Amino acid sequence: MRRLIVLLVSLIAAPAFAGSLDELKSFLTNAKTLKANFEQTVTDHNGKVIQQSTGSMEFSRPGKFRWQYVKPYEQLIVGDGVKLWLYDPDLNQVTVRKLDKAIGSSPAALLAGDAEIEKNFNLKDAGTANKLTWVEATPKSLESTFERVRMGFAGSELSMLELKDNFGQNTVIKLAHVQLNNKPLPAAFTFVPPKGADVISD
């Protein structure tokens, strides 16, 4: 689950763009905040389900986000604009990294970063499938741990994210109850390590 640190945040409810990448980039410029619930499924290279989880996410671009796993295990990932905090309640352990180092040329840079996504990604119209309109992004950096990210839109909302990593695993994230450009509470994007927690700087 730690590897999915790179998945966090934006691009979540775009106008219907009928295959237009220009409208996608317009959304990245105009969408400032988003809040949604999610269901996440990870499968191996044979298609076998190896992990399922649910939770909620919230972001305020650029660089502020909250990604909270609820089931089957609790985990909290917070980006405050400068640092990225990962908290594991069961271990009472906090891992903290510089946000730009943690995101890099990853799906999070596509989702939580600025609107100039073509600096780090090649974009293409991926057509329609399963009643969704798809855009595909592939990282330009050879150091990225992901081969591609696909974003599926249903009408005016981003409904699904599909990510394939370099290990052959696929992650599908289905979004629900999406709220675009809401006014998030500032406390959502701050994190203070709990008393007694083991804090590790990565």
Side-chain angles (χ1 to χ4, degrees), residues 42-155:
V42 182
T43 56
D44 64 16
H45 64 282
N46 292 318
K48 179 181 178 181
V49 175
I50 58 177
Q51 185 184 91
Q52 290 182 302
S53 53
T54 61
S56 62
M57 61 83 65
E58 189 170 4
F59 79 86
S60 178
R61 299 180 57 238
K64 294 183 178 181
F65 53 85
R66 182 182 187 92
W67 191 277
Q68 188 161 15
Y69 291 94
V70 176
K71 295 180 179 180
Y73 306 107
E74 292 187 16
Q75 190 175 62
L76 176 63
I77 305 170
V78 176
D80 62 11
V82 178
K83 295 180 179 180
L84 185 144
W85 304 84
L86 189 152
Y87 174 51
D88 188 322
D90 291 336
L91 298 177
N92 198 23
Q93 184 179 86
V94 177
T95 300
V96 56
R97 304 179 66 186
K98 290 183 178 180
L99 188 64
D100 56 354
K101 179 181 177 181
I103 290 180
S105 182
S106 71
L110 172 66
L111 302 180
D114 58 32
E116 298 180 17
I117 58 176
E118 288 184 298
K119 291 188 300 184
N120 297 313
F121 295 90
N122 295 310
L123 302 175
K124 74 175 184 179
D125 183 339
T128 59
N130 300 320
K131 299 182 180 179
L132 299 179
T133 302
W134 294 88
V135 173
E136 182 172 297
T138 55
K140 293 181 178 180
S141 172
L142 297 178
E143 298 180 357
S144 176
T145 59
F146 284 82
E147 292 184 11
R148 67 171 184 262
V149 181
R150 285 165 48 89
M151 295 156 282
F153 292 86

